[in-house]
Amino acid sequence: MDDVSKLMRRHTYVTKISTSFIYAILVSIAVNFFWTPGHIYSSGITGFAQLLTTISSRLMPFTISTGLGLFLLNIPLFLLSWRAIGHEFTIFTIITVFLSSFMIQLLKPIPLTHDPIICAIFGGAVNGFGTGLALRNGISTGGLDILGIVIRQRTGKSIGTINIAFNSLIIISAAIMYGWPYAFYSVLSLIVNARIMDMTYTRQQKMQVMIITNRPNTVIDSVQNHLRRGITIVHNAEGAYRHDAKTILFTVISRYEMGELEEALLESDPNAFASISDSVKILGRFYEPKP
């Protein structure tokens, strides 16, 4: 068992490092092929690094490159992550941010087009896919992700307000540097980035599941063997057509777990009826894997 465990752990490490490298390539393409030529700012720390590059090139005798700025701005967050989240998580975050900074530095801006709309859309799409892929494989891309995890662990609250305020500052800076049209193009890029990221990374999307079955114990065992989810049982339900006894099961899953739920139902009761809908808000305890 120890050999199997070591092999699985090694496979996980290789997957994470490979994903970090893929993310680094994608974010460098977004920055150097689209955002920089189109004068578009990203969100979060990457956008702040771009802003530092613009300010230093205009007002200082030397220019702080986006790649270097990205790594330097993340250093305080690395320290916070090391103390508050975990060493393994922090090490992979450092690897991801270092590779991203290196690739951004290595790939010089190539202006495929200067059309700001095209640059905003494709830059946001490429970066959103890379970020979603990284999150899907349990990798943090650094920046405000770390702050968000720490605040959520300690208070149970998200940093939505902080994110909005930080990104609003970047958008206003884009307006000051390049004019308000470019600020709105940056907003467009943020929207595309978020949309593509949500399509790629589905673990944070919650769904309410209602299962109607006449084999409740078998279904419950199968679902809980596949998923770490609590289930609420409603007894004494009745089918209106045949008036046979039914049991209703309620649970909440992430969209990421849809495949496992379907597999569990096929194994336990192929005739079960399941209704799945998006959940707007969850109050109370909902298990999420630790980073």
Side-chain angles (χ1 to χ4, degrees):
M1 286 297 291
D2 288 341
D3 291 339
V4 174
S5 178
K6 288 180 180 178
L7 185 62
M8 291 180 64
R9 196 171 183 83
R10 189 180 305 162
H11 174 73
T12 301
Y13 289 163
V14 170
T15 301
K16 286 189 174 184
I17 292 174
S18 300
T19 305
S20 295
F21 185 66
I22 293 170
Y23 167 75
I25 293 174
L26 292 174
V27 72
S28 64
I29 289 173
V31 170
N32 292 317
F33 288 20
F34 297 106
W35 285 335
T36 298
H39 303 312
I40 307 297
Y41 284 150
S42 174
S43 61
I45 298 298
T46 304
F48 194 24
Q50 290 178 277
L51 179 60
L52 275 181
T53 300
T54 305
I55 293 174
S56 62
S57 65
R58 293 187 182 185
L59 304 178
M60 299 171 67
F62 58 90
T63 299
I64 302 173
S65 66
T66 301
L68 177 61
L70 177 63
F71 190 81
L72 293 177
L73 291 170
N74 270 286
I75 290 176
L77 297 170
F78 294 155
L79 299 176
L80 175 65
S81 175
W82 186 270
R83 297 185 60 183
I85 300 177
H87 295 176
E88 183 177 309
F89 174 85
T90 305
I91 289 169
F92 279 111
T93 302
I94 292 173
I95 291 171
T96 304
V97 174
F98 173 77
L99 287 173
S100 302
S101 302
F102 177 75
M103 292 304 298
I104 290 172
Q105 195 76 13
L106 183 65
L107 290 179
K108 300 303 179 182
I110 300 176
L112 300 178
T113 176
H114 290 284
D115 187 311
I117 295 180
I118 294 176
C119 291
I121 292 173
F122 281 89
V126 170
N127 186 74
F129 178 73
T131 304
L133 188 66
L135 294 173
R136 189 169 182 171
N137 285 277
I139 299 171
S140 167
T141 57
L144 297 183
D145 291 350
I146 295 172
L147 194 60
I149 291 171
V150 173
I151 291 176
R152 189 167 67 245
Q153 284 182 345
R154 296 187 177 181
T155 68
K157 298 179 180 178
S158 69
I159 61 164
T161 303
I162 296 176
N163 262 314
I164 292 172
F166 196 87
N167 290 330
S168 296
L169 176 63
I170 292 174
I171 297 305
I172 292 172
S173 300
I176 294 172
M177 294 297 172
Y178 298 113
W180 278 107
Y182 287 94
F184 295 133
Y185 295 140
S186 294
V187 172
L188 174 62
S189 187
L190 297 185
I191 294 171
V192 172
N193 181 85
R195 181 59 181 163
I196 298 298
M197 187 173 67
D198 283 344
M199 290 171 62
T200 308
Y201 176 64
T202 55
R203 194 184 297 275
Q204 85 283 14
Q205 299 173 27
K206 309 299 186 294
M207 310 193 76
Q208 179 176 286
V209 181
M210 180 184 71
I211 303 168
I212 301 173
T213 178
N214 54 12
R215 302 171 61 185
N217 293 332
T218 307
V219 172
I220 289 170
D221 288 342
S222 182
V223 170
Q224 292 187 329
N225 283 334
H226 284 77
L227 308 170
R228 184 173 175 176
R229 294 295 167 214
I231 297 174
T232 299
I233 307 171
V234 180
H235 293 290
N236 302 320
E238 181 182 341
Y241 184 68
R242 292 196 177 102
H243 297 282
D244 48 351
K246 299 284 186 181
T247 300
I248 302 175
L249 308 175
F250 285 100
T251 187
V252 175
I253 65 172
S254 67
R255 189 179 292 274
Y256 183 77
E257 298 167 320
M258 277 280 293
E260 293 171 278
L261 176 69
E262 291 177 9
E263 186 178 338
L265 290 178
L266 285 173
E267 287 179 3
S268 57
D269 184 4
N271 296 317
F273 176 84
S275 174
I276 304 172
S277 57
D278 290 330
S279 186
V280 176
K281 188 174 184 178
I282 300 294
L283 299 176
R285 299 180 63 184
F286 181 83
Y287 170 76
E288 293 188 42
K290 291 183 179 181

